[in-house]
Amino acid sequence: MLSKFLVTNFIKDYNNISDEKVRNSYGYLGGIVGIIANILLFIVKIFVGFITNSIAVIADAVNNLSDAASSIITIIGFKLASKPADAEHPFGHGRIEYISGLIVSFMVMLVGFEFIKTSFKRIINPTNINFQLMPFLLLLVSILTKIWLSYFNKYIGKTIDSSALQASSLDALGDVFTSSCVALSLLASKWTSTPIDGYVGVLVSIFILYSGFSLTKETLDPILGEAPDPELVKKLIDGVCSYDYISGVHDIIIHNYGPGKAMASVHAEVPCDISVMKIHEIIDTAEKELSEKLNIFLVIHMDPINTNDEKVNSTKNELLKIIHNDFPIIKSIHDFRIVGDNDFKNLIFDIVIDYEHVLTPEIEEKLKKDLDNAIKTIHPHYNAIITIDRDFTSLK
């Protein structure tokens, strides 16, 4: 209820999330709420930490301070990522959002390393913990606050499809776990002199390190060029194939230039005997409509294929049967055609191999030779000219 209240009262035209300004407003709101909440939690926990002399509570407080700094960097990231395209960056500055997330993850890991050292010192040189009811109750309130903050970030992140804010939601949920452990260690100090505080501090620090490592991976993957979202790939394939005369697609490549900023290219199979002007009009329409529908910049290349030749179709079916029975490594084929006279023919086609299979030049040549020999067992006068393609999607 509070999340909806904040969105409806502080974001103008909040339903129009396809608008970049509205999307940025969601990001700013998430960042500002994160800053305010985490600074308040830092003040409460640092007070409790000094009152109780608990290193675990102080570590948890500093973790909240780093979360506030993370929110500041998130806001800066949204601001810089929204800069318009220019001559040096024709696809915009959207990847800055990933870089800001990477900075946040390094800050999180730095906090974890520092408090591992401090916690070990507390284990070696234990000190008494001063349990008091009011500071303990303040910790419980901070846990409830983090639960709400996790929900709020998840709500915002899902609304605008922001991996940065959804990661913040998971980070806040992780803080709920660590703060709960800290509260339990503080409570346990009433009945034991064992330096539980130091041990819990180590556990909290390890969890902080793990969170930082996970955030690093999540922000590095799109920068390095991760496989596109399978759901987007499926929508793209279904969308392109829904247009008249397009019978199939291949060579799908999607480049990510930041959240909501992607470029895709795809080869569409069309009949070879159709008017060039007619199929160009269909392709042009598909590019414009799908670019708007899927929020991508789409380029479609036309691949003419012979769909009416009975010999071509029967030979292709024979090839597909050979591949199905003897070459499971091959995911699909495309651009199949037959060139030559009656005495000698070339079968020209591409085969697609996914990245689960490691191919060296030697293995590739052997694969081509084995497939060519398998075809010759049926058609001795056919010569296979094969191109090996890689699948650039994660779609199975």
Side-chain angles (χ1 to χ4, degrees), residues 38 40 97 114 148 176 187 197 210 216 219 237 249 254 257 260 264 274 348-349 351 353:
N38 281 299
L40 290 175
E97 191 171 326
E114 287 300 317
W148 175 81
V176 171
L187 183 63
D197 178 57
Y210 175 77
T216 300
T219 50
I237 294 173
V249 297
I254 300 177
Y257 290 93
I274 193 173
I348 305 174
F349 57 92
I351 60 176
I353 313 293

Side-chain angles (χ1 to χ4, degrees), residues 176-217:
V176 171
F177 168 76
T178 55
S179 296
S180 299
C181 290
V182 169
L184 289 174
S185 72
L186 186 61
L187 183 63
S189 67
K190 287 183 62 178
W191 299 286
T192 178
S193 58
T194 303
I196 295 176
D197 178 57
Y199 292 115
V200 171
V202 170
L203 290 176
V204 170
S205 302
I206 291 173
F207 188 85
I208 293 171
L209 283 173
Y210 175 77
S211 298
F213 174 79
S214 299
L215 288 172
T216 300
K217 184 180 184 304

Side-chain angles (χ1 to χ4, degrees), residues 258-321:
K261 298 179 177 68
M263 175 186 176
S265 64
V266 60
H267 289 211
E269 297 171 356
V270 299
C272 62
D273 55 357
I274 193 173
S275 163
V276 173
M277 293 301 295
K278 184 173 184 178
I279 194 61
H280 177 269
E281 183 180 349
I282 292 172
I283 293 295
D284 198 41
T285 301
E287 286 179 338
K288 291 178 181 177
E289 292 181 350
L290 291 175
S291 290
E292 183 176 349
K293 180 180 179 180
L294 301 178
N295 194 27
I296 60 176
F297 180 75
L298 177 61
V299 177
I300 302 177
H301 169 80
M302 294 183 290
D303 266 353
I305 60 172
N306 191 340
T307 58
N308 297 319
D309 189 301
E310 186 176 330
K311 184 62 178 176
V312 171
N313 291 335
S314 63
T315 305
K316 182 178 180 180
N317 289 332
E318 289 174 337
L319 173 60
L320 290 172
K321 187 175 180 180

Side-chain angles (χ1 to χ4, degrees), residues 16 25 34 45 47 69 71 77 112 128 132 135 145 183 185 212 214 224 244 255 262 267 288 314 320 334 343:
N16 188 20
S25 295
K45 289 181 182 179
F47 170 75
S71 295
N128 293 326
Q132 296 181 33
T145 303
S185 72
S214 299
L224 294 176
D244 292 340
H255 295 288
H267 289 211
K288 291 178 181 177
S314 63
L320 290 172
H334 59 84
D343 296 327

Side-chain angles (χ1 to χ4, degrees), residues 31 34-35 38-39 63-73:
I35 291 170
N38 281 299
I39 287 179
N63 182 41
N64 287 140
L65 188 62
S66 72
D67 288 342
S70 300
S71 295
I72 294 173
I73 294 172

Side-chain angles (χ1 to χ4, degrees), residues 32-52:
I32 291 169
V33 170
I35 291 170
I36 295 172
N38 281 299
I39 287 179
L40 290 175
L41 289 174
F42 166 75
I43 294 171
V44 169
K45 289 181 182 179
I46 204 72
F47 170 75
V48 173
F50 283 121
I51 290 294
T52 60

